[in-house]
Amino acid sequence: MSITTSKSADGSVLTIRIQGRFDFSSHQEFRDSYENNDSVKEYLIDMKDTTYLDSSALGMLLLLRDFAGGDHANVSISNCNSDVKKILTISNFEQLFVIQ
Amino acid sequence: MDSEPLKILIADDNDSDRMILQAIVRKQGHEVVTARDGVDAIEKFKTTVPKIVLMDALMPRMDGFEAARLIKQLAGEELVPIIFLTSLTDAESLAKCLDAGGDDFLSKPYNRIILQAKINAFNRMRVMHRTLQSQRDQIAENNDHLLQEQQVAKTVFDNVAHLGCLNAKNIKHLLSPLSVFNGDVLLACQKPSGGMHVFLGDFTGHGLPAAIGAMPIAEIFYGMTNKGFAMTDVLREVNQKLKQILPVGFFCCACMIDMSFARGDVEVWIGGLPEAVLYRADGELIKIQSNHLPLGVLAANRFTTETYKYEMSPGDRFFMWSDGIIEARNVNGEMFGEDRLYQVYDDQKISSKLFSSIKQEVHNFIGEGERDDDLTMVEVEMVSEDEVGMGSGGHLAKSALIGPVNWALCYELRGQTLKDFNPLPLLLHIIMEVPGLRLFSGQVYTILAELTSNALEHGVLRLDSGLKSSPEGFTKYYALRAQRLEQLEKQWVRISIDHLPEGLGGLLSIKVVDSGDGFDYSNFKQAKMNNNRYSGRGIPLLTTLCRHFEYVGTGNTVEAEFAWQPEKQ
Amino acid sequence: MSDKIEHIDLSALAELKEVMEEEFDTLLETFLDDSAERVVQIREAAKEGDSEALSRAAHSFKGSCTNIGVPVLAELCKDAEQKGRKGELEGIDDLVASIDQAFYEVTKLLKEQLS
């Protein structure tokens, strides 16, 4: 599991890339990836290389959403594989996130 | 010098050697106890409890090997380093020293610097050993403490989140004894009307945070269900409570059903759990997918309670599970998965054995894999009403207070309130203030529920109960119901309730009037038990329950009397 | 003079003196008393052909000789210990005589060290 981030040129879009299993062990790393980034207006979670997601990962996504402004948050999740997508769908996370 | 003063036992039969060693060790600041042979060494060890022993190998009476063995035994868990003093040099003799429990050797002539280094090194080891031991003891003690606390917590939890009616004949369930600490919740409760609420929840995370959240769920679930609240009301309350108390990122995936044995149907709310299954006696399998966010995520104003409704016949079964079933892993780390789960439905032709087959398949699959303490699953079977064994409200709390027995009330609901508000819990709450009536809460609830829903659905909404005679019509009925509820404006339903003492018991009179056009009830006295389970106004049932029951006026008014006497002791 | 250096190790004795301080004399006297006993034990064992007793006494004597710093005597004890252990007692009388002789020398030299 590793988490890498990159920012758009103007610093307004933060892309968080999650590789491997996304579970409770990533808790701190995931938080560190978005905290202390004041200029960011939009968050992109790239799950191209995410193999698995558990319920605590869902909780972490909710934390990010809360951090990013709750109901006004601009957070999208992209490139999910079918397993990951299924978990997001079961939990109806498309109601809270833009899932691409 | 980095060593604290230590008490050191020197055992040597040779006087000059012992003198030299004693002088060296004393010069290094330690306290010396001497012994002249093995027997003497054991005695001195017992009486003076030295920290380190310097032991000659060959001595009269008892040699150093035997003495070392005994000293190690006496020391027990304490590390007492034994350094053999020896001019022996052959490997066999040295090995013998180690076998006897020796920790090191010191050869003659004694070298002061080496001796000091060894004493210091062994003292560090001794201190480290002691620290480890005390930490181990501390951990063991903490662990005992924790287990004890968990036991208490579990007792409290079990009292709050008791199994309810999970042991009813029509329910099979699988729940780990320590489920409280893995965040799984399974609750079942009979409704006053005789139906059943079953709730399966799975909290994010494990341990205490998960267990804590389960408590308010159980409180709300049992409290509200006992009082006759609808499933959606219970869910709304649970969601609001969890949202309020849980930190962001913690939530509860859940599935809840309301099974009515009288109507032969089930209502399902599911959020975040793997799809539930309705498995009919004829082999049809219906998958019910989660269409809500888990509980505790959305604020009250965004929380929605759309439910699925299915009619069910006796022998149809409803299955719910936590993701522990589907995500159970075998030794190779593979997941059990939905395919294997549905394969069991294909393979097991006897539907009463499905539950145990699924359980067995999962256990077989896990094999020697990770422990299966995360598996929670429940099957609820549709049975005929009399098979459930209604407890006649016996599970409701009894009060010793003599409450109000002589009173009347009138409650009128208008317009959109008819759609948004369920008056039954409130009315039932008031009625149940009459202590003697609590034993009859099931009957009273049924009468009230039938009368008010007749008034709303047939009177105000003008729905034709004949529609419910087919599964398609059943769906259409509820669609129309929802549609017409939206259009309510000036319509009303007026409920008048009167209670009078009568003998040792009382007489409860209920009159329900609606703003509808009424209906032709002239044939109703001849109405016999209608074989069609979906239709009718529950009239045969009401006739059975009530001492007096009749429609009056245009048919928009109904009067019912329920007379009760205390049960014989 | 080379004999003297072989019989007692002066630097080892100096070190012992430093360690033992005022007990140095007592140590030497104790050593000499004990050693006289050991020599007798060795002689008796050799006479009786008790190889086990011989090896035990020689082993113990060797140890204290090493500690005090009398290398020649220690070396002779080692030979005696080995003979005893192997049970080969031929020529043991010559060896016992050498031990007697060496002990005589050591006694003389150590007494010179007494204050």
Side-chain angles (χ1 to χ4, degrees):
Chain A
M1 213 291 313
S2 82
I3 291 176
T4 51
T5 55
S6 57
K7 245 190 246 185
S8 63
D10 65 352
S12 70
V13 183
L14 178 70
T15 302
I16 303 172
R17 187 167 291 117
I18 300 160
Q19 285 173 294
R21 283 175 71 93
F22 186 21
D23 57 22
F24 192 75
S25 62
S26 347
H27 182 76
Q28 196 54 47
E29 210 183 335
F30 186 69
R31 273 182 77 145
D32 292 345
S33 75
Y34 60 80
E35 285 181 349
N36 307 317
N37 278 303
D38 291 340
S39 61
V40 176
K41 305 265 183 292
E42 191 183 339
Y43 297 83
L44 273 173
I45 315 286
D46 185 348
M47 296 214 177
K48 186 161 88 63
D49 300 313
T50 311
T51 51
Y52 175 78
L53 185 97
D54 73 357
S55 65
S56 51
L58 296 177
M60 289 184 259
L61 290 172
L62 288 180
L63 273 177
L64 165 60
R65 183 174 177 275
D66 203 53
F67 177 86
D71 289 350
H72 309 291
N74 190 347
V75 182
S76 48
I77 301 172
S78 61
N79 301 322
C80 306
N81 72 26
S82 60
D83 286 343
V84 169
K85 189 141 196 165
K86 179 146 200 182
I87 291 163
L88 291 170
T89 310
I90 285 179
S91 313
N92 286 279
F93 265 44
E94 65 267 33
Q95 292 182 27
L96 303 178
F97 299 90
V98 180
I99 297 176
Q100 295 159 341
Chain B
M1 193 168 94
D2 66 338
S3 69
E4 55 186 297
L6 299 167
K7 192 182 282 181
I8 295 179
L9 172 63
I10 298 173
D12 195 332
D13 63 323
N14 191 305
D15 296 336
S16 57
D17 285 353
R18 198 174 58 244
M19 282 179 77
I20 296 172
L21 199 53
Q22 181 174 1
I24 297 175
V25 173
R26 270 201 187 130
K27 257 202 147 51
Q28 289 169 3
H30 304 294
E31 185 189 338
V32 175
V33 179
T34 57
R36 310 175 69 98
D37 58 50
V39 176
D40 195 15
I42 300 297
E43 277 312 306
K44 295 280 168 53
F45 181 81
K46 284 185 193 162
T47 51
T48 63
V49 198
K51 304 295 182 210
I52 295 178
V53 179
L54 305 177
M55 175 91 77
D56 192 15
L58 304 178
M59 291 185 289
R61 293 218 286 168
M62 181 194 285
D63 64 19
F65 307 117
E66 182 62 17
R69 215 169 275 126
L70 289 171
I71 283 174
K72 287 287 181 182
Q73 262 175 33
L74 288 169
E77 287 199 330
E78 190 79 9
L79 175 68
V80 179
I82 298 178
I83 301 174
F84 270 94
L85 309 166
T86 179
S87 41
L88 295 172
T89 45
D90 59 302
E92 202 182 321
S93 303
L94 296 179
K96 207 171 153 196
C97 294
L98 293 182
D99 285 345
D103 296 285
D104 201 357
F105 315 98
L106 186 69
S107 57
K108 297 172 187 180
Y110 301 138
N111 180 310
R112 279 186 289 167
I113 296 170
I114 292 179
L115 178 60
Q116 183 167 359
K118 285 192 176 183
I119 289 176
N120 289 344
F122 277 109
N123 189 44
R124 279 197 298 274
M125 192 191 278
R126 194 184 62 81
V127 170
M128 195 188 295
H129 180 82
R130 178 172 279 186
T131 307
L132 273 179
Q133 212 116 51
S134 81
Q135 285 173 346
R136 181 204 62 185
D137 293 347
Q138 183 82 45
I139 289 168
E141 196 182 316
N142 287 351
N143 195 48
D144 283 352
H145 200 67
L146 200 66
L147 285 177
Q148 203 185 331
E149 284 183 343
Q150 286 195 350
Q151 210 51 48
V152 175
K154 188 166 153 41
T155 310
V156 173
F157 182 84
D158 286 349
N159 287 335
V160 176
H162 51 89
L163 293 175
C165 69
L166 272 180
N167 295 321
K169 279 185 213 151
N170 66 323
I171 296 183
K172 292 180 186 141
H173 71 279
L174 175 63
L175 186 65
S176 138
L178 277 179
S179 56
V180 48
F181 298 110
N182 63 34
D184 285 356
V185 195
L186 186 55
L187 310 167
C189 184
Q190 270 185 15
K191 299 166 56 176
S193 60
M196 206 178 258
H197 279 169
V198 183
F199 181 99
L200 190 154
D202 179 2
F203 276 91
T204 353
H206 285 247
L208 209 51
I212 284 173
M215 307 269 277
I217 292 192
E219 284 261 19
I220 293 168
F221 176 86
Y222 287 117
M224 292 184 73
T225 301
N226 272 328
K227 291 197 181 92
F229 281 94
M231 176 172 79
T232 48
D233 294 333
V234 177
L235 285 165
R236 205 172 272 120
E237 187 64 24
V238 167
N239 178 68
Q240 185 175 346
K241 190 70 177 180
L242 292 184
K243 174 74 181 164
Q244 182 193 333
I245 64 172
L246 295 181
V248 175
F250 283 84
F251 50 79
C252 181
C253 297
C255 182
M256 180 164 172
I257 63 169
D258 174 3
M259 194 176 275
S260 165
F261 306 104
R263 290 194 308 269
D265 64 20
V266 68
E267 192 175 356
V268 188
W269 184 97
I270 176 165
L273 277 187
E275 49 197 28
V277 160
L278 171 58
Y279 188 76
R280 296 202 185 279
D282 65 8
E284 186 192 359
L285 185 149
I286 299 165
K287 298 176 187 175
I288 300 153
Q289 277 183 346
S290 155
N291 60 341
H292 292 280
L293 279 155
L295 296 169
V297 175
L298 290 173
N301 58 349
R302 294 191 57 198
F303 184 70
T304 51
T305 53
E306 291 98 46
T307 53
Y308 299 98
K309 262 205 176 82
Y310 299 92
E311 48 123 344
M312 283 179 86
S313 306
D316 291 356
R317 289 154 204 277
F318 193 91
F319 294 84
M320 305 183 255
W321 28 60
S322 66
D323 58 10
I325 296 283
I326 288 159
E327 295 185 5
R329 284 172 193 277
N330 67 7
V331 273
N332 302 323
E334 288 172 82
M335 289 202 244
F336 185 66
E338 289 174 347
D339 293 347
R340 287 190 185 82
L341 178 61
Y342 291 123
Q343 190 61 44
V344 184
Y345 286 89
D346 281 351
D347 295 344
Q348 179 54 267
K349 299 300 175 203
I350 304 166
S351 60
S352 62
K353 291 188 177 165
L354 269 169
F355 189 85
S356 55
S357 291
I358 294 170
K359 198 162 112 184
Q360 195 56 48
E361 285 299 320
V362 175
H363 280 279
N364 292 349
F365 179 77
I366 294 173
E368 299 294 306
E370 65 190 55
R371 280 179 50 228
D372 52 344
D373 55 359
D374 237 2
L375 308 177
T376 303
M377 172 166 82
V378 62
E379 175 200 290
V380 190
E381 187 187 353
M382 172 58 74
V383 288
S384 68
E385 206 171 355
D386 29 303
E387 266 182 274
V388 198
M390 282 169 66
S392 251
H395 54 291
L396 292 181
K398 292 182 182 71
S399 165
L401 293 172
I402 302 303
V405 288
N406 195 342
W407 52 268
L409 68 79
C410 176
Y411 197 53
E412 187 176 291
L413 302 159
R414 295 187 285 257
Q416 283 295 299
T417 298
L418 279 169
K419 166 183 156 246
D420 296 332
F421 181 69
N422 174 6
L424 292 185
L426 175 67
L427 294 175
L428 201 69
H429 191 76
I430 294 169
I431 295 170
M432 289 308 137
E433 291 295 309
V434 183
L437 257 177
R438 287 188 190 148
L439 281 174
F440 306 97
S441 68
Q443 285 103 305
V444 171
Y445 184 93
T446 305
I447 297 167
L448 261 181
E450 290 295 329
L451 295 181
T452 50
S453 80
N454 282 347
L456 176 65
E457 298 190 1
H458 307 311
V460 170
L461 300 178
R462 301 190 312 281
L463 290 164
D464 177 6
S465 58
L467 266 179
K468 289 207 268 184
S469 56
S470 72
E472 301 76 39
F474 188 86
T475 314
K476 189 175 175 205
Y477 181 91
Y478 279 99
L480 267 177
R481 183 182 185 276
Q483 185 192 334
R484 291 187 188 167
L485 276 174
E486 290 299 327
Q487 296 157 356
L488 288 177
E489 279 174 31
K490 291 183 175 162
Q491 294 87 336
W492 50 265
V493 172
R494 188 182 306 133
I495 305 160
S496 307
I497 303 176
D498 187 296
H499 188 269
L500 286 170
E502 190 181 85
L504 290 172
L507 176 66
L508 182 74
S509 309
I510 303 168
K511 178 175 167 184
V512 179
V513 189
D514 64 65
S515 59
D517 303 331
F519 74 112
D520 179 10
Y521 53 90
S522 52
N523 293 330
F524 122 84
K525 284 196 170 159
Q526 287 80 47
K528 297 213 164 153
M529 187 64 98
N530 193 333
N531 283 331
N532 193 319
R533 353 196 302 256
Y534 306 118
S535 66
R537 295 174 174 230
I539 288 166
L541 180 64
L542 289 166
T543 321
T544 318
L545 289 175
C546 300
R547 180 168 83 180
H548 170 80
F549 174 82
E550 71 171 342
Y551 280 96
V552 293
T554 59
N556 72 334
T557 301
V558 62
E559 290 174 356
E561 282 179 16
F562 177 77
W564 63 276
Q565 291 297 312
E567 297 207 331
K568 289 178 195 112
Q569 294 299 312
Chain C
M1 296 303 281
S2 65
D3 252 5
K4 281 186 185 178
I5 294 167
E6 281 176 20
H7 275 296
I8 65 168
D9 178 344
L10 287 172
S11 72
L13 276 171
E15 209 173 306
L16 274 181
K17 198 166 193 164
E18 191 194 324
V19 171
M20 302 304 296
E21 296 175 6
E22 68 270 26
E23 283 188 55
F24 182 67
D25 285 4
T26 323
L27 173 69
L28 292 192
E29 280 156 10
T30 308
F31 172 74
L32 290 174
D33 288 352
D34 277 358
S35 302
E37 222 173 284
R38 302 281 188 212
V39 171
V40 172
Q41 284 172 3
I42 289 171
R43 201 186 293 134
E44 293 291 314
K47 199 188 282 173
E48 286 166 23
D50 184 344
S51 54
E52 203 194 315
L54 173 70
S55 114
R56 204 180 317 125
H59 175 81
S60 184
F61 195 16
K62 178 190 74 180
S64 46
C65 289
T66 317
N67 266 335
I68 294 288
V70 287
V72 175
L73 194 48
E75 200 57 36
L76 291 169
C77 287
K78 190 177 162 192
D79 291 348
E81 183 193 355
Q82 275 168 0
K83 275 189 185 298
R85 192 178 298 162
K86 288 178 192 157
E88 296 167 358
L89 297 185
E90 298 114 71
I92 191 68
D93 293 343
D94 289 349
L95 187 52
V96 171
S98 303
I99 289 172
D100 272 341
Q101 179 59 32
F103 181 54
Y104 173 75
E105 294 291 333
V106 163
T107 306
K108 203 171 62 183
L109 290 166
L110 285 184
K111 284 198 168 157
E112 285 169 19
Q113 297 289 325
L114 292 172
S115 47

